[in-house]
Amino acid sequence: MPDEKSPPPSPPKPRVPRREGGQGAVVAERKALKTKPPSLYQVVMLNDDYTPMEFVVMVLQQYFQRDLDTATHIMLKIHHEGRAVCGVYPKDVAATKVELVLTASRREGHPLQCLMEAA
Ligand code: TYC
């Protein structure tokens, strides 16, 4: 039999900070505090002796949203220096762009190489 003078047991403490949301909702806040910005990756294109310059310019316009002047400038940088950054994106976006460029290049029979590296 419990002692009649002892206080009633206190309710269990919440394990994460909680705050009342609208209309009586309870919102856990820990996730938001821990969220980090996504890490960024640069998509790099490499030079080769066979892929036509026009194809590289088209790829830069179509998949990296570059205007004709900028695409031509980047293509010539690759041609003269061996490589250039086409754009910087979150990891999943960069991976998709690499895949799309490689797929389009192989479809047209070009050996164009494209890769991603941590920015
Ligand atoms: N070097 C190629 C040529 O002379 C052109 C080229 C540019 C190829 C950029 C690939 O990523 C590249 N036709």
Side-chain angles (χ1 to χ4, degrees), residues 3 7 24 31 43 52 57 60 63 65 67 72 75-76 78 86 88 94-95 104 108 113:
D3 178 354
K31 185 86 188 283
V43 177
V57 170
L60 288 162
Y63 297 110
Q65 286 74 50
D67 62 35
T72 303
M75 183 278 295
L76 287 173
I78 302 167
C86 304
V88 178
E108 297 299 318
Q113 286 296 339

Side-chain angles (χ1 to χ4, degrees), residues 85-105:
V85 175
C86 304
V88 178
Y89 308 95
K91 190 175 191 178
D92 55 339
V93 177
T96 299
K97 294 204 182 275
V98 168
E99 193 169 321
L100 289 171
V101 169
L102 294 179
T103 299
S105 300

Side-chain angles (χ1 to χ4, degrees), residues 11 35 45 69 92 98:
T35 303
M45 216 135 73
D69 272 12
D92 55 339
V98 168

Side-chain angles (χ1 to χ4, degrees), residues 45-54 56 74-80 82-83 112-113:
M45 216 135 73
L46 305 180
N47 189 37
D48 65 74
D49 291 339
Y50 305 102
T51 304
M53 291 182 171
E54 297 74 19
V56 178
I74 295 171
M75 183 278 295
L76 287 173
K77 182 176 170 71
I78 302 167
H79 180 71
H80 291 299
R83 55 183 270 155
L112 184 62
Q113 286 296 339

